[in-house]
Amino acid sequence: MVDFAGRDIISVKDFTKEELTYPFALTREFKKRVQAHEGLDLLKGYVLCSLFYEPSTRTRLSFESAMQRLGGGVLTVAEAKRTTSAAKGESLADAVQVMEKYADVILLRHPEVGAAQVAADAASAPVINGGDGAGEHAPQTFSELFTINEEKGTIDRLEITLMGDLKHARVMRSLAMGLSRFDIKLNLVSPESLRMDPEIVGMFEKGKVVELTNLDDVLPTTDVLYLCRIQKERFASEAEYEALRGTYRVDNSLLSKAKKDITIMHPLPRMDELDPEVDSHPGAAYFRQAADLLYNRMALLALILGKA
Amino acid sequence: MVDFAGRDIISVKDFTKEELTYPFALTREFKKRVQAHEGLDLLKGYVLCSLFYEPSTRTRLSFESAMQRLGGGVLTVAEAKRTTSAAKGESLADAVQVMEKYADVILLRHPEVGAAQVAADAASAPVINGGDGAGEHAPQTFSELFTINEEKGTIDRLEITLMGDLKHARVMRSLAMGLSRFDIKLNLVSPESLRMDPEIVGMFEKGKVVELTNLDDVLPTTDVLYLCRIQKERFASEAEYEALRGTYRVDNSLLSKAKKDITIMHPLPRMDELDPEVDSHPGAAYFRQAADLLYNRMALLALILGKA
Amino acid sequence: MVDFAGRDIISVKDFTKEELTYPFALTREFKKRVQAHEGLDLLKGYVLCSLFYEPSTRTRLSFESAMQRLGGGVLTVAEAKRTTSAAKGESLADAVQVMEKYADVILLRHPEVGAAQVAADAASAPVINGGDGAGEHAPQTFSELFTINEEKGTIDRLEITLMGDLKHARVMRSLAMGLSRFDIKLNLVSPESLRMDPEIVGMFEKGKVVELTNLDDVLPTTDVLYLCRIQKERFASEAEYEALRGTYRVDNSLLSKAKKDITIMHPLPRMDELDPEVDSHPGAAYFRQAADLLYNRMALLALILGKA
């Protein structure tokens, strides 16, 4: 039996395959109802607090829209580091114990790995990890698994390629953990110095996961290509950067070597690594991926507040 | 037939006289209903995103209040330049294509002329130009035409004087374009170096528009005096500033030379150019002008979202 | 007859004992209804504007949650000094006269003593003083009197000890004024250089108030110990700081010398002066005190907007 009521959403590790896919049906339902501009009252009488120690747009706005579209209220602390008592030295544990007096669920973004767990341990109210440094972004994975499933009709049996800075990108880390619950083939394409955490790679059966520095060998068989940017300063050297930058840039020319029905995903914002000419490719799913965040977050909020 | 549903509000040029005055009736209705504290549900199920790359109070708060008073939700990005992916280099086109996944209408303030049009071209959702550098502020003109009409019972046949920095003030530029749709006499009072854009002046018939550096000649016949401040640094020289500063300062002594029923408008905030002693003048309309923003914005939002 | 409708909440001095305790019953009622997640519509059609010229979390979020839990809307100006026309030189009087066009009640936090009164004098809408420098924080006192009453069943006849920087802490100043309406014994514990304002001390009958530099003598008889932090830089000298810091630090060892049923209050955030080990003490009321802010603010908003 899947039961989300009262649960924190901190790490993808805490969720089974059944739990990760459980919100799919509700996500689909909310998508329909939002598109019909139904004014829902499901979370009337509930309040979300966005507590952001680092700036964010996508995560904050998608959750705040989700809460309001369900009839709930929103409290925003967009720059907690500068504008809260954190500046005076208040502990995160104390801060969330106060916040939960005014809100029923706390969405936290924090620069330190593990901060979301610290907050969840201190708070009675559910805490959602909206990104903890180079740690995780668990709700993102819930939504991106939904997007893959909607684009492809399945997750199992796919060949999925993650490309970019797999060491520092928390969305990549969380997604890989989530994908380890499924029967897929995973390709991890990154410079040597920006490899995925071996612990996460180890979650996959041998033979089901490959690490490469170059996309070429796996592009022709890839069903879903999920890329994110690599900051120039992450490369080991200027020479490595110059040698590899071409590989990590997706445009229509590169996609001509891919499957006709390839799906392209990106967490956005994009820089050079994804040419805007790709936007008109039928498999360009990144703006649909951004839209799904709203519907999936509505589902997560309704579930953890015990209203669905 | 006037139809606002789904339209952007970018430039006053895009609207006919009939369209500019069409929201008047609805504005009046919302004014009554707000003053009666009716809790409206007209935009329940809809969300506005305020996307501000420059700070603002009046524009942001009046729109956000309008949305909430109609039962809608609000997402606020008060400092987009510092706190969004713009800092990482995301294009405005990408940013609004993400925002419109979470919101049904986008209110944009941006320091660059033309930014609102760029956003509108990228977005499917309606975009409202809340100020694009020294470009325009079209919704402001919708509301200020309403205020003039309420104060005077008409716009046609009035003699209207705009005074201040007519080169840089976008509210002045937009209002002049709006007034060019009406049968009025327009006086443009500014230092030589801060003249209104000749293209806008050219929208008026010859003889219907006069440019002056001094208010004295036109004050006795002016029906509506709309002034805004001139930043000292805008003057060509310290000498010009000293020579002209007295002329551009409105107080009761100056108004003793005006029509008894003159209307005084100002976009606020005011500095030295408008003495607080004028606040008790029966024609001091600037705080009513600020209040009308709320009611007119409610009308615009209801119209472009196709709910009125 | 107690009537709050349309009233400002600026200084505790403006309220009688009957008025300070009048919201207790409504506070209790809202507490029950919030805990039952009733979605209330009492303030539907009303909007609160949070106008903060200094950062704050507790005061802003508790009021914004209160407004939303009553069905009202919220406008937030979290950093008024940097992001509003104040930066261009607009007066506070002008600013609130504009804000009240978009909101029905204004919550103001400002660094200058007396600013809330200036705002209240300019505005027709009710103004709530959410802290004016080292002046007052009147709504905090309304709520803290409620907390004392809930913890102890009475305020009269208690022995209450305020400890910390009694010179600069506005919550201490406002609370002392509020307590002067009651029949209590008050102990004021602070370094000599950080004594409570003599005018406030003078509000108490002789014999009902004592000033000390050390807690030891009054701890065994204290019913409520309310402490707040002292910033190191407030001490007259390093020597005074070192001599006194131990005295102003509350932990379980110190509390072993107190009454068994002592109540410990703190406005939060806490630093060194209150050990987290005290959190499990049955009399540790500070997180309940933080929670009561929400319910009491709901009561104040409903009352001054004439809806209760």
Side-chain angles (χ1 to χ4, degrees):
Chain A
M1 239 273 324
V2 173
D3 188 2
F4 278 86
R7 285 187 72 175
D8 302 307
I9 300 184
I10 304 301
S11 166
V12 172
K13 282 184 218 171
D14 305 331
F15 296 91
T16 64
K17 179 177 178 179
E18 193 190 355
E19 288 172 331
L20 288 167
T21 57
Y22 183 79
F24 284 6
L26 198 54
T27 302
R28 249 175 247 125
E29 184 193 328
F30 284 136
K31 181 174 177 176
K32 266 187 218 154
R33 299 180 77 173
V34 165
Q35 290 178 345
H37 290 294
E38 278 186 47
L40 304 174
D41 280 329
L42 196 66
L43 294 187
K44 189 169 172 181
Y46 291 80
V47 170
L48 164 76
C49 180
S50 296
L51 185 57
F52 279 67
Y53 289 82
E54 272 189 342
S56 155
T57 334
R58 252 152 290 265
T59 297
R60 179 168 75 79
L61 297 189
S62 56
F63 267 107
E64 294 186 352
S65 181
M67 192 69 188
Q68 292 187 76
R69 287 181 188 280
L70 288 167
V74 171
L75 301 174
T76 305
V77 187
E79 303 195 60
K81 198 178 255 172
R82 222 159 42 77
T83 66
T84 68
S85 302
K88 301 180 196 156
E90 188 181 33
S91 71
L92 179 60
D94 272 17
V96 297
Q97 280 182 88
V98 170
M99 297 301 166
E100 70 175 333
K101 305 299 183 285
Y102 313 136
D104 304 287
V105 50
I106 295 170
L107 169 67
L108 181 74
R109 157 83 48 109
H110 199 281
E112 288 168 30
V113 176
Q117 190 59 56
V118 169
D121 291 342
S124 307
V127 172
I128 300 171
N129 181 7
D132 58 333
E136 285 206 51
H137 197 318
Q140 192 78 11
T141 295
F142 271 92
S143 186
E144 290 173 351
L145 291 174
F146 173 79
T147 299
I148 293 171
N149 191 69
E150 296 305 285
E151 297 287 326
K152 293 306 197 192
T154 180
I155 299 172
D156 285 320
R157 292 173 305 283
L158 293 178
E159 180 168 338
I160 299 178
T161 300
L162 309 186
M163 181 168 81
D165 179 350
L166 304 182
K167 185 172 181 183
H168 299 94
R170 60 193 165 211
V171 294
M172 290 302 204
R173 293 168 47 84
S174 285
L175 182 58
M177 289 184 214
L179 290 173
S180 77
R181 305 296 200 207
F182 295 82
D183 177 27
I184 64 153
K185 161 109 195 302
L186 185 69
N187 306 310
L188 298 168
V189 180
S190 74
E192 291 279 359
S193 58
L194 301 174
R195 284 268 186 262
M196 177 72 72
D197 180 352
E199 195 194 321
I200 298 175
V201 178
M203 293 177 184
F204 288 81
E205 282 176 49
K206 282 209 164 99
K208 293 286 190 178
V209 60
V210 183
E211 298 189 85
L212 315 99
T213 52
N214 198 302
L215 182 63
D216 298 354
D217 290 347
V218 295
L219 182 58
T221 52
T222 290
D223 296 300
V224 176
L225 172 61
Y226 189 123
L227 71 151
C228 69
R229 73 190 170 112
I230 308 182
Q231 292 169 277
K232 191 179 167 181
E233 55 273 28
R234 299 289 199 190
F235 285 89
S237 67
E238 181 80 23
E240 194 191 45
Y241 172 70
E242 290 302 334
L244 290 171
R245 63 181 300 190
T247 316
Y248 295 93
R249 197 175 181 286
V250 173
D251 56 18
N252 283 342
S253 156
L254 180 135
L255 289 174
S256 68
K257 294 166 227 156
K259 280 187 162 184
K260 281 265 175 300
D261 67 346
I262 190 173
T263 293
I264 306 120
M265 295 179 70
H266 192 293
L268 304 176
R270 66 170 149 192
M271 306 297 138
D272 282 348
E273 73 281 0
L274 178 57
D275 196 304
E277 74 179 15
V278 177
D279 296 4
S280 51
H281 188 292
Y286 31 92
F287 285 116
R288 295 192 289 274
Q289 175 185 353
D292 287 342
L293 291 180
L294 171 64
Y295 315 123
N296 190 260
R297 275 146 197 196
M298 292 174 76
L300 290 182
L301 288 170
L303 287 167
I304 65 178
L305 290 170
K307 304 295 284 185
Chain B
M1 240 278 315
V2 173
D3 188 2
F4 277 85
R7 286 186 70 174
D8 302 307
I9 300 186
I10 304 302
S11 167
V12 172
K13 281 184 216 170
D14 305 332
F15 296 91
T16 64
K17 177 178 180 179
E18 194 190 356
E19 289 171 331
L20 288 168
T21 57
Y22 183 79
F24 284 5
L26 197 55
T27 302
R28 249 175 246 126
E29 185 194 327
F30 283 136
K31 180 174 178 176
K32 267 187 216 152
R33 299 179 77 173
V34 166
Q35 290 178 343
H37 290 293
E38 277 186 45
L40 304 174
D41 281 329
L42 196 66
L43 295 187
K44 190 169 171 178
Y46 290 81
V47 170
L48 164 76
C49 181
S50 296
L51 186 56
F52 279 68
Y53 289 82
E54 272 188 342
S56 154
T57 332
R58 250 151 292 266
T59 297
R60 179 168 76 79
L61 296 190
S62 56
F63 265 106
E64 294 186 354
S65 181
M67 193 68 187
Q68 292 187 76
R69 286 180 189 281
L70 288 167
V74 171
L75 301 174
T76 305
V77 187
E79 303 194 58
K81 198 178 258 172
R82 221 158 44 77
T83 65
T84 68
S85 302
K88 302 180 195 155
E90 189 181 32
S91 72
L92 179 60
D94 271 17
V96 297
Q97 279 182 91
V98 171
M99 298 300 168
E100 69 174 335
K101 304 301 182 283
Y102 313 135
D104 304 286
V105 49
I106 294 170
L107 169 66
L108 181 74
R109 157 83 48 109
H110 200 282
E112 287 167 31
V113 176
Q117 190 59 56
V118 169
D121 291 343
S124 307
V127 172
I128 300 171
N129 181 8
D132 60 333
E136 283 205 54
H137 196 317
Q140 192 78 11
T141 296
F142 271 92
S143 187
E144 290 174 349
L145 291 174
F146 173 79
T147 299
I148 294 171
N149 192 68
E150 296 306 284
E151 297 286 326
K152 293 306 197 192
T154 180
I155 298 171
D156 285 320
R157 293 174 307 283
L158 292 178
E159 180 166 338
I160 298 177
T161 300
L162 308 186
M163 180 167 82
D165 178 349
L166 304 181
K167 186 171 179 184
H168 300 95
R170 60 192 165 211
V171 294
M172 291 301 205
R173 292 169 46 85
S174 285
L175 182 58
M177 288 183 213
L179 290 172
S180 76
R181 304 297 200 206
F182 294 82
D183 178 26
I184 63 152
K185 162 111 195 301
L186 184 70
N187 305 311
L188 298 168
V189 181
S190 75
E192 291 281 358
S193 59
L194 300 174
R195 284 268 189 262
M196 178 71 74
D197 179 352
E199 195 194 322
I200 297 175
V201 178
M203 293 177 183
F204 289 82
E205 283 175 49
K206 281 213 165 95
K208 293 285 191 178
V209 60
V210 183
E211 298 188 86
L212 315 98
T213 52
N214 198 303
L215 181 64
D216 297 355
D217 290 348
V218 294
L219 181 57
T221 52
T222 290
D223 295 300
V224 176
L225 172 61
Y226 189 124
L227 71 151
C228 69
R229 75 191 169 112
I230 308 181
Q231 291 169 279
K232 192 181 167 179
E233 56 273 27
R234 298 292 199 189
F235 285 89
S237 67
E238 180 81 23
E240 194 192 44
Y241 171 69
E242 291 302 334
L244 289 172
R245 62 182 298 189
T247 316
Y248 295 93
R249 198 174 179 287
V250 173
D251 55 19
N252 283 341
S253 155
L254 180 137
L255 288 174
S256 67
K257 294 166 226 153
K259 279 187 164 186
K260 280 264 175 302
D261 67 345
I262 190 173
T263 292
I264 306 119
M265 295 178 71
H266 191 294
L268 304 176
R270 66 169 149 191
M271 305 297 139
D272 282 348
E273 73 280 0
L274 178 57
D275 196 305
E277 73 179 17
V278 177
D279 295 5
S280 51
H281 188 293
Y286 32 92
F287 285 115
R288 294 193 289 274
Q289 176 185 354
D292 286 341
L293 292 179
L294 171 63
Y295 316 122
N296 191 260
R297 274 146 198 198
M298 291 173 76
L300 290 181
L301 287 170
L303 287 167
I304 66 179
L305 290 170
K307 304 294 284 184
Chain C
M1 239 278 315
V2 173
D3 189 2
F4 277 85
R7 285 185 72 175
D8 303 305
I9 299 185
I10 304 302
S11 167
V12 173
K13 283 185 217 171
D14 305 331
F15 296 91
T16 64
K17 178 178 177 179
E18 194 190 356
E19 287 170 333
L20 288 168
T21 57
Y22 183 79
F24 284 6
L26 197 54
T27 302
R28 248 174 246 124
E29 185 193 329
F30 284 136
K31 180 174 178 176
K32 266 187 218 154
R33 300 179 77 173
V34 166
Q35 290 178 345
H37 290 295
E38 279 186 46
L40 304 174
D41 280 329
L42 196 67
L43 295 187
K44 191 170 171 179
Y46 290 81
V47 170
L48 164 76
C49 180
S50 295
L51 185 57
F52 279 68
Y53 288 83
E54 273 188 341
S56 155
T57 335
R58 250 152 291 264
T59 297
R60 179 167 76 77
L61 296 189
S62 56
F63 266 106
E64 294 186 354
S65 181
M67 193 69 188
Q68 292 186 76
R69 286 181 189 281
L70 289 167
V74 171
L75 302 174
T76 304
V77 187
E79 303 195 59
K81 198 178 255 171
R82 221 160 42 77
T83 65
T84 67
S85 303
K88 301 180 194 155
E90 189 181 31
S91 72
L92 179 60
D94 272 17
V96 297
Q97 280 182 90
V98 171
M99 297 301 166
E100 68 174 335
K101 305 300 183 284
Y102 312 135
D104 304 287
V105 49
I106 295 170
L107 170 66
L108 181 75
R109 159 81 49 110
H110 200 281
E112 288 168 30
V113 176
Q117 190 59 56
V118 168
D121 291 343
S124 306
V127 172
I128 299 171
N129 181 7
D132 60 333
E136 284 205 53
H137 196 318
Q140 192 78 9
T141 296
F142 271 93
S143 187
E144 291 174 350
L145 291 174
F146 173 80
T147 298
I148 294 172
N149 192 69
E150 296 306 284
E151 296 287 325
K152 293 306 196 191
T154 180
I155 298 172
D156 286 319
R157 293 173 307 281
L158 293 178
E159 178 167 339
I160 298 177
T161 300
L162 308 186
M163 181 168 82
D165 179 349
L166 304 182
K167 185 173 179 182
H168 300 95
R170 59 193 165 211
V171 294
M172 291 300 205
R173 293 169 47 84
S174 285
L175 182 57
M177 288 183 213
L179 290 173
S180 76
R181 305 295 201 207
F182 294 82
D183 178 26
I184 65 151
K185 162 111 196 300
L186 184 69
N187 306 311
L188 297 168
V189 181
S190 74
E192 292 279 358
S193 58
L194 299 174
R195 284 268 187 263
M196 177 71 73
D197 181 352
E199 195 193 322
I200 298 175
V201 178
M203 292 177 184
F204 288 81
E205 282 177 49
K206 281 213 164 94
K208 293 286 191 176
V209 59
V210 184
E211 297 188 86
L212 317 98
T213 52
N214 198 302
L215 181 64
D216 298 353
D217 291 347
V218 294
L219 182 58
T221 52
T222 290
D223 295 300
V224 176
L225 172 60
Y226 189 124
L227 70 151
C228 70
R229 75 189 169 113
I230 308 182
Q231 291 168 277
K232 192 179 167 181
E233 56 272 28
R234 298 291 199 190
F235 284 89
S237 67
E238 181 80 22
E240 195 191 44
Y241 172 70
E242 290 302 334
L244 290 171
R245 62 183 299 189
T247 315
Y248 295 93
R249 196 173 181 289
V250 174
D251 55 19
N252 283 342
S253 156
L254 180 136
L255 288 174
S256 67
K257 295 168 225 151
K259 280 186 163 186
K260 281 264 175 300
D261 67 345
I262 189 172
T263 293
I264 306 121
M265 295 178 71
H266 191 294
L268 304 176
R270 67 171 148 190
M271 306 298 139
D272 283 346
E273 73 281 0
L274 177 57
D275 195 305
E277 73 179 15
V278 177
D279 295 5
S280 51
H281 188 293
Y286 32 91
F287 285 116
R288 295 192 289 274
Q289 175 185 353
D292 286 341
L293 292 180
L294 171 63
Y295 315 122
N296 190 260
R297 275 145 199 197
M298 292 174 76
L300 290 181
L301 288 170
L303 286 167
I304 67 179
L305 290 170
K307 304 295 284 185

